[in-house]
Amino acid sequence: MNKNIKLLQGNEACVEGALAAGMEFFAGYPITPSTEIAEISAQKLPAIGGHFIQMEDEIAGMAATLGGSLTGKKSMTATSGPGFSLKQENIGYGCIAEIPCVIVNVQRGGPSTGLPTSPAQSDIMQAKWGTHGDHPVIALYPNSVQEIFTTTVDAFNMAEKYRTPVILLLDEIIGHMREKIDLSIVDSLEIIDRKRPSCTPEEYKAYQADEDLIPPMADFGSGYRYHVTGLMHDETGFPSNNSKVAHQLMHRLMDKIDKNVEDIVKYEEYMLEDAEIAFVAFGATSRAAKEAIDNLRKKGIKIGLFRPITIWPSPQKQLLALSEKVNTIIVAEMNMGQYTYEVERIAAKNCNVEFYGRVDGQPINPDELMKFAEEVLL
Amino acid sequence: MGMPKKVFVNKEWCKGCGICVAFCPKNVLELKNGLIDIARPEDCIKCGQCELRCPDYAIFLKEAPENE
Amino acid sequence: MQSELVQKYLREDRLPHIWCPGCGHGVIMHAVIRAIDNLKLDPEKVCIVSGIGCSSRASGYMNFNTLHTTHGRALAFATGVKMSQPDLHVIVLTGDGDTSAIGGNHLIHAARRNIDITTITFNNNIYGMTGGQYSPTTPYMDFGTTAPYGNIDNSFDLCDLAKGAGASYVGRATAYHAVQLAKIIESAISNKGFSFVEAVSSCPTYYGRKNKKGDAVNMMKTLKDMYVDIKIAEKKPELADGKIIFGELYNNPQDEYTDKYQKIIDMLKKEN
């Protein structure tokens, strides 16, 4: 029997991935359907000398996560829709102050308290536009227990590499689903740690970026005293109202993501070689889409799936290429057409873009996707 | 033993609030053109009340040679 | 030229500060660095965390590990810093609105945990940065730009609030009583647990003007007259009639939060 093969829940795999990536600090607040992530972190972190804290609210959970990361500890928090809304101001703080961390959002139906125990994919746009002001965003969305593990590692790696909060989107289905997972990959994982300063403390300018647009980050308490603020700041880290400084900082924050899209964008293509029609789907819905595709293929319909794993920044180049190849793209998502906007923006000039979704708390099933695809083909 | 202390002012930081003038027990200080001035240095007893309550760190005691 | 203390602990190139003429905040920040100096804390191991508002600009002027956070959230950020790096001396500098309105929840819970963070609230009884709106510490029927007919809210006694929530050290002093203020801050930092200091400030620009309290000097004199040392009040209660008590109000050391967590880590280490 292979000891590395385990049966894990999605939320559990998320914690295992975080620990494999080097998580040492978790601050959060209980919320369905993400709570297992906090519970398992509470159990496992002290055993490795790490720290867990249950904060008084979601806002504090986000703030403490950022505080933990500033001391050099890889930090994570987990939530669902209502908590994700509450965390938004401090996610923006993490973006402008360039503090690496991972925010897991196990999506449920909304708005407001909505459908706490039912799945949805309705925070796709909140992941991009949730906090005020323009800001860089990386959001990832796996679709299996195995992939939750590896994508959580990717989320930490990207957070550390690009000095930015990374949002890991799950949904109630994959968060609570139990599946086989092979943990033998742990030994071969690439783990990235944030770049730390190599200069002396006297020379250190906390927000002076290297050529890769990322400033080296010193741990609080390590001998590099510096200032961190949510105000617009120059390369020293101190506040500035200077319009040139604001322009430069804003552009660097966006450029450090935009110029690395090739590295950040992850996706899966399924049966697209000869496809004339394609689903675009992610998370739990992409699993239903695959089954629908298998069944439609048996009927002779040339259909495939493009599955973005990196939701933001969107895989623009790949979606554009897809739009040049197929006649129709069906965006299937458990919301009222959020990612459809993005796919339309990229693809609508080249092909027909259709939306299929539901917001009744029920997962999208293969049968309804088959039926919808066949209707579109008529 | 260190050198004796003397009162110094940094007019660039003074905002002219007058707190040091009001709480100097020996009436050493005055506002001149809206900024702090050591009008009667010979009366200063180096108590440090001015430094203690100056919100702007514009007046303070510091060790200095007698002739400075 | 600056005083040795200013040279040692403040970022001279960031001064003069943005506070208005006669604002008590500068006096309080001075008391904080005197306390740190008296305790001989290693500046590399001091982390100053602030929120948003006039008071919270202090972090930028202080030459330590400094974190100027979002409005009300200084204590939540500070909790993350302290929890993940317990050897840091974490000091939160905040205002009355920051700590007891938008940040009130974080205040009571940090106090409840008795986590080793010293919180110093610069209480000027008003929202200064936004131009003089009433805060949770604006006295009843005083005026603010959002209380043009008088403030009908009851005000918080911040020290009672912190004590009630579980702080193990509580003290109060004013910008006028700057010597005592530094001593209280020193004791607060020395307490291994959650310490709360109400540093009573004065805002001549907004609170003073709106409430006809006179200029900066007059407001400083009011602090002198209105507040009485707890030691005097205990000996001669009649001298405290109608006045506010300052000094060390509560000192009851309790097991500290990160220490308790460390015990869990140690226990798990032994088991494995």
Side-chain angles (χ1 to χ4, degrees):
Chain A
M1 199 184 90
N2 186 342
K3 278 185 184 168
N4 287 314
I5 307 285
K6 290 203 157 101
L7 182 70
L8 291 189
Q9 188 200 51
N11 283 345
E12 202 174 359
C14 176
V15 180
E16 291 298 337
L19 292 168
M23 173 176 72
E24 290 182 87
F25 184 61
F26 183 102
Y29 188 82
I31 184 168
T32 305
S34 78
T35 307
E36 295 85 0
I37 298 175
E39 289 172 338
I40 300 162
S41 296
Q43 186 195 352
K44 298 210 163 185
L45 274 170
I48 59 155
H51 291 79
F52 166 92
I53 187 166
Q54 181 171 311
M55 295 299 290
E56 53 274 18
D57 59 33
E58 293 277 4
I59 299 169
M62 189 65 235
T65 299
L66 295 168
S69 182
L70 281 164
T71 71
K73 307 287 162 62
K74 291 186 185 179
S75 302
M76 182 168 92
T77 187
T79 188
S80 187
F84 195 50
S85 296
L86 286 166
K87 287 182 181 336
Q88 290 299 336
E89 185 192 8
N90 285 329
I91 292 175
Y93 187 93
C95 293
I96 195 169
E98 299 180 76
I99 304 174
C101 63
V102 174
I103 302 119
V104 188
N105 175 4
V106 190
Q107 297 166 89
R108 66 192 224 187
S112 188
T113 314
L115 293 163
T117 57
S118 300
Q121 300 179 305
S122 50
D123 298 340
I124 298 297
M125 281 299 179
Q126 193 184 189
K128 182 164 174 62
W129 302 113
T131 195
H132 59 280
D134 292 299
H135 57 281
V137 176
I138 300 177
L140 309 176
Y141 198 162
N143 83 340
S144 69
V145 170
Q146 181 80 46
E147 199 177 76
I148 288 174
F149 179 90
T150 52
T151 307
T152 306
V153 175
D154 289 340
F156 272 95
N157 282 347
M158 288 183 194
E160 294 285 316
K161 187 171 179 182
Y162 298 111
R163 266 195 80 168
T164 196
V166 172
I167 293 157
L168 179 65
L169 293 167
L170 307 180
D171 52 62
E172 191 277 336
I173 300 171
I174 60 168
H176 281 162
M177 178 173 66
R178 286 182 192 277
E179 264 186 335
K180 188 179 81 171
I181 177 170
D182 181 357
L183 290 172
S184 63
I185 51 162
V186 169
D187 300 327
S188 57
L189 289 171
E190 186 200 6
I191 302 298
I192 298 173
D193 293 329
R194 69 190 66 171
K195 193 169 60 176
R196 290 180 165 86
S198 52
C199 63
T200 64
E202 293 71 33
E203 293 166 335
Y204 183 56
K205 285 182 183 168
Y207 288 89
Q208 186 175 49
D210 294 335
E211 269 178 30
D212 63 0
L213 304 178
I214 320 289
M217 185 173 178
D219 304 345
F220 269 11
S222 70
Y224 293 78
R225 274 177 272 163
Y226 65 101
H227 188 57
V228 180
T229 179
L231 286 165
M232 211 57 82
H233 48 271
D234 61 21
E235 60 186 19
T236 64
F238 290 101
S240 171
N241 284 330
N242 184 306
S243 60
K244 202 174 145 195
V245 166
H247 176 91
Q248 280 172 345
L249 176 59
M250 286 299 292
H251 282 266
R252 181 174 65 74
L253 291 178
M254 303 307 274
D255 284 352
K256 74 177 179 180
I257 304 304
D258 291 345
K259 292 194 171 163
N260 289 294
V261 165
E262 294 291 315
D263 178 51
I264 295 166
V265 161
K266 292 177 187 292
Y267 57 93
E268 183 199 0
E269 291 177 327
Y270 182 69
M271 304 249 175
L272 280 179
E273 295 78 13
D274 61 344
E276 289 163 3
I277 176 169
F279 283 116
V280 169
F282 33 75
T285 306
S286 65
R287 298 169 69 103
K290 273 192 182 176
E291 195 175 320
I293 289 162
D294 291 346
N295 292 333
L296 288 165
R297 284 267 168 186
K298 282 176 198 156
K299 294 185 181 182
I301 297 170
K302 290 181 175 171
I303 187 163
L305 167 72
F306 181 84
R307 177 169 73 92
I309 299 169
T310 303
I311 301 293
W312 306 114
S314 64
Q316 189 158 320
K317 200 175 90 180
Q318 292 77 7
L319 282 166
L320 189 64
L322 181 68
S323 72
E324 286 163 351
K325 193 164 119 177
V326 300
N327 302 320
T328 297
I329 291 173
I330 301 169
V331 186
E333 45 185 342
M334 285 185 276
N335 58 46
M336 296 186 84
Q338 297 189 15
Y339 210 57
T340 306
Y341 280 118
E342 181 69 358
V343 176
E344 278 175 347
R345 183 182 73 79
I346 297 162
K349 59 181 176 285
N350 293 323
C351 74
N352 179 34
V353 177
E354 299 282 342
F355 158 68
Y356 185 82
R358 63 191 294 177
V359 286
D360 58 353
Q362 295 301 312
I364 294 175
N365 63 53
D367 286 350
E368 59 192 306
L369 287 179
M370 282 173 64
K371 198 171 150 226
F372 186 78
E374 285 174 320
E375 277 168 16
V376 166
L377 284 168
L378 283 178
Chain B
M1 279 291 285
M3 281 177 280
K5 287 191 173 179
K6 215 178 133 181
V7 64
F8 288 89
V9 296
N10 176 356
K11 290 200 184 188
E12 283 178 21
W13 287 5
C14 176
K15 292 174 187 163
C17 68
I19 288 173
C20 59
V21 177
F23 292 99
C24 173
K26 291 291 173 187
N27 199 25
V28 171
L29 308 168
E30 278 178 11
L31 285 183
K32 199 166 150 189
N33 302 323
L35 295 177
I36 181 64
D37 184 57
I38 309 174
R40 288 165 287 279
E42 63 282 3
D43 292 347
C44 177
I45 55 168
K46 282 98 180 163
C47 66
Q49 295 283 314
C50 51
E51 179 175 358
L52 194 64
R53 297 199 187 88
C54 172
D56 296 288
Y57 323 122
I59 185 164
F60 54 92
L61 292 170
K62 195 168 180 166
E63 287 179 359
E66 294 281 17
N67 58 355
E68 193 176 289
Chain C
M1 191 166 80
Q2 324 310 341
S3 77
E4 284 162 22
L5 207 65
V6 166
Q7 281 174 337
K8 195 169 169 188
Y9 295 109
L10 297 185
R11 291 164 170 151
E12 284 178 75
D13 56 342
R14 309 305 308 172
L15 294 169
H17 53 60
I18 61 160
W19 296 318
C20 301
C23 171
H25 287 6
V27 185
I28 298 168
M29 185 164 82
H30 202 190
V32 176
I33 59 172
R34 286 204 310 280
I36 289 172
D37 190 57
N38 286 342
L39 291 167
K40 298 186 171 53
L41 301 183
D42 176 1
E44 303 295 352
K45 295 293 172 195
V46 173
C47 180
I48 306 278
V49 187
S50 65
I52 294 293
C54 294
S55 63
S56 292
R57 285 305 186 97
S59 60
Y61 303 122
M62 303 177 74
N63 196 7
F64 303 95
N65 304 282
T66 56
L67 178 55
H68 176 222
T69 70
T70 47
H71 195 21
R73 316 303 169 200
L75 267 165
F77 277 80
T79 298
V81 170
K82 182 69 189 178
M83 195 62 188
S84 58
Q85 196 63 55
D87 72 337
L88 292 175
H89 300 280
V90 181
I91 300 169
V92 169
L93 305 182
T94 170
D96 40 306
D98 197 49
T99 197
S100 70
I102 190 165
N105 200 31
H106 310 308
L107 172 67
I108 59 174
H109 289 278
R112 176 178 62 82
R113 292 185 191 103
N114 194 37
I115 189 164
D116 185 20
I117 294 171
T118 298
T119 296
I120 300 160
T121 298
F122 296 38
N123 180 10
N124 59 5
N125 309 104
I126 204 91
Y127 284 90
M129 191 67 96
T130 45
Q133 299 75 35
Y134 68 95
S135 88
T137 63
T138 302
Y140 182 67
M141 289 317 281
D142 269 6
F143 296 95
T145 57
T146 46
Y149 311 110
N151 168 34
I152 59 169
D153 283 23
N154 294 318
S155 61
F156 268 140
D157 179 322
L158 296 178
C159 291
D160 279 354
L161 179 66
K163 185 185 165 192
S168 49
Y169 183 96
V170 178
R172 174 193 288 134
T174 80
Y176 174 81
H177 303 93
V179 172
Q180 296 93 322
L181 178 61
K183 283 203 176 115
I184 284 164
I185 293 170
E186 216 180 299
S187 305
I189 296 171
S190 303
N191 173 48
K192 178 91 170 135
F194 189 82
S195 305
F196 180 82
V197 178
E198 179 186 354
V200 183
S201 189
S202 51
C203 173
T205 304
Y206 291 112
Y207 180 73
R209 202 178 287 166
K210 271 275 161 200
N211 291 287
K212 300 189 169 54
K213 302 282 182 188
D215 61 8
V217 169
N218 270 313
M219 291 187 78
M220 203 54 117
K221 284 179 178 160
T222 305
L223 293 179
K224 180 185 176 187
D225 297 339
M226 277 294 295
Y227 287 78
V228 58
D229 193 318
I230 190 167
K231 289 172 206 148
I232 295 168
E234 277 166 359
K235 278 182 209 150
K236 295 182 176 174
E238 67 277 11
L239 293 179
D241 258 4
K243 296 190 177 184
I244 303 167
I245 306 288
F246 76 87
E248 185 177 285
L249 305 178
Y250 187 68
N251 187 355
N252 184 20
Q254 302 282 323
D255 288 347
E256 194 271 331
Y257 191 76
T258 61
D259 279 350
K260 288 192 273 189
Y261 198 89
Q262 187 59 42
K263 281 183 186 153
I264 296 173
I265 294 174
D266 294 342
M267 176 190 77
L268 291 168
K269 220 182 260 170
K270 257 184 227 160
E271 281 176 9
N272 291 322

